[in-house]
Amino acid sequence: MNKLRVAFAGTPPFAVSPLKTILQSVHEVPLVFTQPDRPSGRGQKLTPSPVKECALENNIPVFQPDRLGDNDAMLMRRENIDVMIVAAFGQIVPRAILEAPRLGCVNIHASILPRWRGASPIVQSILSGDKDSGVSLMKMDEGLDTGSVFMTKKVPIGQMTQGMLENAISQAGSDCLKEALTDLEAWLSKAQPQPEDGITYAPKVKKAQAQVNWSQSGDVVCCHVRAYNPAPMAFTFLDDLRCRIIAVQHFSEDILTSPKQAGSVLDVTSAGILVACGQGGVLIEQIQLPGKAVLCVGEHLRLCRDLFLGKRFASKAC
């Protein structure tokens, strides 16, 4: 196995496992790129990214440019970087960076390409009711996730939330990366262009998109809630209260003996808050009111009956 000098570019928790995989290998990581510190929490305190924290714990120099550019490419050449591994970095990687390492740049992308190119593949795969998601390793080019792919691994979605699926795909990506780094040049030589059929795009998520549309079917609402958990979290309105929907289960429409207005609370039981949808309905198992702790319905049955029974959840313009 040839020892490589690897630059790493990543930002959120998804990218930490791949970084640790490289650090546990024989390869060197002379530098890490990540997004600038961002305000976070009620105090809006500047907070480092999870990747920065991991890099500093391992005494790796961290660089946080607003935009990658020529200076960063020069830095990589000075450091004799063989390859840059990119995982959810959050910036477009320009040509100067793509061409700086000897072997180019490799992206760990959270879908089986060409399905769900773009910023939010995990969210879109759950929203669309896909049975499987996964990870693709590709040699990057200047397009949006258009590079040639040399390794993939499927991950069944089942009933996973966004957070669960992100963890599973991150681990799958780490497993693929570990295998690829045993002989990266050989793997890169096997890279194949993506097929033209089956291309879909996953745009950046906007908070307003997380609002629940109760006129949709119960199974679609369930996918919606799972797709936006933990961020930005599905929400709805009860009168003027903006409620966050944390966890739901689907129930079939034959339980509803007569049509009900979408969003109507039909019952509150130890199983959850029974809500009618456009077709069928859902059981809300966990819900959060503004400024309050998450309510597990089965544990706070009397309070939830008082708060929700006979009411109707509704949508509002955002």
Side-chain angles (χ1 to χ4, degrees):
M1 181 190 300
N2 293 326
K3 189 173 182 179
L4 301 174
R5 289 177 62 78
V6 182
F8 187 85
T11 300
F14 175 87
V16 173
S17 181
L19 175 56
K20 289 181 176 179
T21 293
I22 307 170
L23 294 174
Q24 292 163 3
S25 73
V26 301
H27 306 295
E28 297 178 73
V29 183
L31 56 92
V32 164
F33 295 104
T34 191
Q35 292 277 50
D37 296 357
R38 306 294 189 198
S40 179
R42 291 185 178 180
Q44 292 293 285
K45 181 181 177 181
L46 284 178
T47 304
S49 73
V51 163
K52 179 179 180 178
E53 292 180 335
C54 179
L56 293 179
E57 287 169 3
N58 289 274
N59 300 310
I60 304 170
V62 176
F63 298 87
Q64 298 176 271
D66 289 328
R67 287 286 181 269
L68 287 171
D70 292 341
N71 289 339
D72 306 298
M74 290 173 60
L75 173 64
M76 287 201 287
R77 285 192 287 269
R78 283 200 306 271
E79 290 289 343
N80 296 314
I81 298 298
D82 292 299
V83 64
M84 183 163 83
I85 305 298
V86 181
F89 177 48
Q91 292 185 26
I92 298 296
V93 178
R95 177 183 292 185
I97 298 295
L98 296 174
E99 295 177 346
R102 179 173 63 88
L103 299 175
C105 299
V106 170
N107 182 230
I108 302 170
H109 184 75
S111 77
I112 304 296
L113 292 166
R115 184 163 178 79
W116 301 130
R117 295 174 177 175
S120 61
I122 292 174
V123 170
Q124 294 301 327
S125 64
I126 298 175
L127 281 177
S128 298
D130 293 354
K131 292 182 179 180
D132 298 298
S133 184
V135 65
S136 301
L137 267 58
M138 66 175 171
K139 183 167 184 179
M140 297 177 70
D141 59 21
E142 290 186 87
L144 179 62
D145 300 325
T146 55
S148 296
V149 175
F150 61 89
M151 192 183 298
T152 62
K153 186 174 183 178
K154 282 189 176 182
V155 176
I157 296 176
Q159 295 301 304
M160 283 196 279
T161 64
Q162 173 204 140
M164 295 173 186
L165 185 55
E166 181 177 296
N167 289 338
I169 295 176
S170 176
Q171 185 57 56
S174 298
D175 293 342
C176 289
L177 183 61
K178 183 178 180 180
E179 183 176 358
L181 287 174
T182 59
D183 193 348
L184 185 58
E185 292 190 59
W187 277 105
L188 287 171
S189 70
K190 300 175 184 178
Q192 296 294 318
Q194 297 179 35
E196 293 296 324
D197 293 336
I199 296 172
T200 55
Y201 289 93
K204 186 176 180 179
V205 171
K206 298 179 180 179
K207 290 183 179 180
Q209 295 171 322
Q211 183 169 194
V212 176
N213 180 356
W214 296 104
S215 65
Q216 295 179 314
S217 64
D219 57 344
V220 171
V221 170
C222 285
C223 288
H224 181 97
V225 172
R226 289 189 294 109
Y228 292 111
N229 182 341
M233 201 66 81
F235 68 93
T236 188
F237 289 91
L238 183 71
D239 299 324
D240 290 328
L241 295 177
R242 190 180 191 273
C243 306
R244 303 172 82 191
I245 309 297
I246 313 299
V248 298
Q249 284 190 24
H250 177 238
F251 68 84
S252 61
E253 58 187 294
D254 56 11
I255 296 177
L256 297 174
T257 55
S258 60
K260 303 292 183 182
Q261 190 173 19
S264 298
V265 176
L266 307 179
D267 200 359
V268 180
T269 72
S270 59
I273 302 167
L274 192 63
V275 183
C277 298
Q279 290 181 309
V282 297
L283 279 165
I284 299 176
E285 299 172 314
Q286 296 180 37
I287 189 169
Q288 185 176 23
L289 275 63
K292 304 294 183 181
V294 173
L295 285 173
C296 296
V297 177
E299 297 174 6
H300 300 87
L301 184 57
R302 181 177 295 178
L303 174 61
C304 288
R305 288 184 68 87
D306 291 342
L307 287 172
F308 303 111
L309 189 60
K311 302 289 186 67
R312 177 172 175 257
F313 293 112
S315 302
K316 288 188 177 182
C318 291

